[in-house]
Amino acid sequence: MKQQRGMLDLSMAAIVAGLVVLVLVVGLVQQNRISKLRLQHADTLTGIAQANAKAYEALDRYRAAVDTAGRALAQQIQTQEGETNAKIEALSDLAGRERTSRLRDQRTYTDSIGYWQGVARRASTDGERQATAAAIGVLADLHARLDERAGIYAGQADQCRVRGLACERAYQTVADMINAGPPKDE
């Protein structure tokens, strides 16, 4: 019986030793898997960091491009605005002088027409009638020239309006570009 017991103890020790070896092998395999997962996790984190860095670089390039385009457009708009303002001031001054002159000329024109019409009514000879007709013709020519100049100034005002609308469109384009955000990579 002692021998059986010894055999039983020996087989029990072998089983326990086998179990210990099995636990150690399983532990080493798990440790190896954990190490591989840690490496994969580190690689994933590195990939995420690189993707973030690329995204920030793209964002910085976009911001720089928008800033550059915005500054260039602002400079262009400012230049056009300065030119337009100078033209508007010049046209405004000229229109003011012309308006004053036109009012004076219109009063003079109305008075002259009235005077020459009265002279024409009172004219008794052909010579007097021809002289009054010539004076009325000169006054009519003067009035036509004044109207022509008024048309020129109205044309200049229309051009200024067109330039102002172009400026507004440029501003809206820049605002839309900034509000749209960075371009999407496909």
Side-chain angles (χ1 to χ4, degrees), residues 6 19 30 42 52 62 66-67 72 79 103 116 139 141 146 152 166 175:
L19 285 175
Q30 289 300 331
N52 281 342
Y62 171 75
V66 167
D67 287 345
T79 301
L103 289 174
W116 287 107
L139 290 174
D141 182 51
L146 289 174
I152 290 170

Side-chain angles (χ1 to χ4, degrees), residues 61-81:
R61 283 192 311 271
Y62 171 75
R63 286 181 180 161
V66 167
D67 287 345
T68 302
R71 278 191 223 108
L73 201 52
Q75 182 64 32
Q76 180 184 6
I77 289 169
Q78 190 176 20
T79 301
Q80 288 176 349
E81 182 180 330

Side-chain angles (χ1 to χ4, degrees), residues 10 21 61 90 101 104 118 122 129 149 160 162 175 181-182:
L10 190 57
V21 169
R61 283 192 311 271
S101 174
R104 184 181 65 242
R122 290 187 307 271
R129 285 189 196 111
R149 286 194 181 147
C160 289
V162 168

Side-chain angles (χ1 to χ4, degrees), residues 37-121:
L37 287 174
R38 284 185 180 159
L39 287 175
Q40 286 176 346
H41 182 68
D43 289 344
T44 302
L45 289 178
T46 303
I48 290 172
Q50 289 172 349
N52 281 342
K54 285 182 183 178
Y56 279 116
E57 287 174 9
L59 183 60
D60 288 341
R61 283 192 311 271
Y62 171 75
R63 286 181 180 161
V66 167
D67 287 345
T68 302
R71 278 191 223 108
L73 201 52
Q75 182 64 32
Q76 180 184 6
I77 289 169
Q78 190 176 20
T79 301
Q80 288 176 349
E81 182 180 330
E83 292 170 359
T84 303
N85 286 341
K87 287 180 183 178
I88 288 172
E89 286 180 25
L91 288 174
S92 178
D93 291 344
L94 188 58
R97 286 192 306 266
E98 197 58 37
R99 188 175 26 252
T100 302
S101 174
R102 190 171 189 185
L103 289 174
R104 184 181 65 242
D105 291 345
Q106 197 166 12
R107 280 193 303 270
T108 305
Y109 173 75
T110 305
D111 293 343
S112 295
I113 291 289
Y115 170 77
W116 287 107
Q117 284 175 342
V119 169
R121 279 189 225 112

Side-chain angles (χ1 to χ4, degrees), residues 116-139:
W116 287 107
Q117 284 175 342
V119 169
R121 279 189 225 112
R122 290 187 307 271
S124 56
T125 65
D126 283 334
E128 288 178 341
R129 285 189 196 111
Q130 286 177 355
T132 56
I136 290 174
V138 168
L139 290 174

Side-chain angles (χ1 to χ4, degrees), residues 21 34 62 73 86 93-94 96 118 131 172 174 176 178 186:
V21 169
I34 289 172
Y62 171 75
L73 201 52
D93 291 344
L94 188 58
Q172 190 60 44
V174 170
D176 292 344
I178 289 171
E186 295 172 22

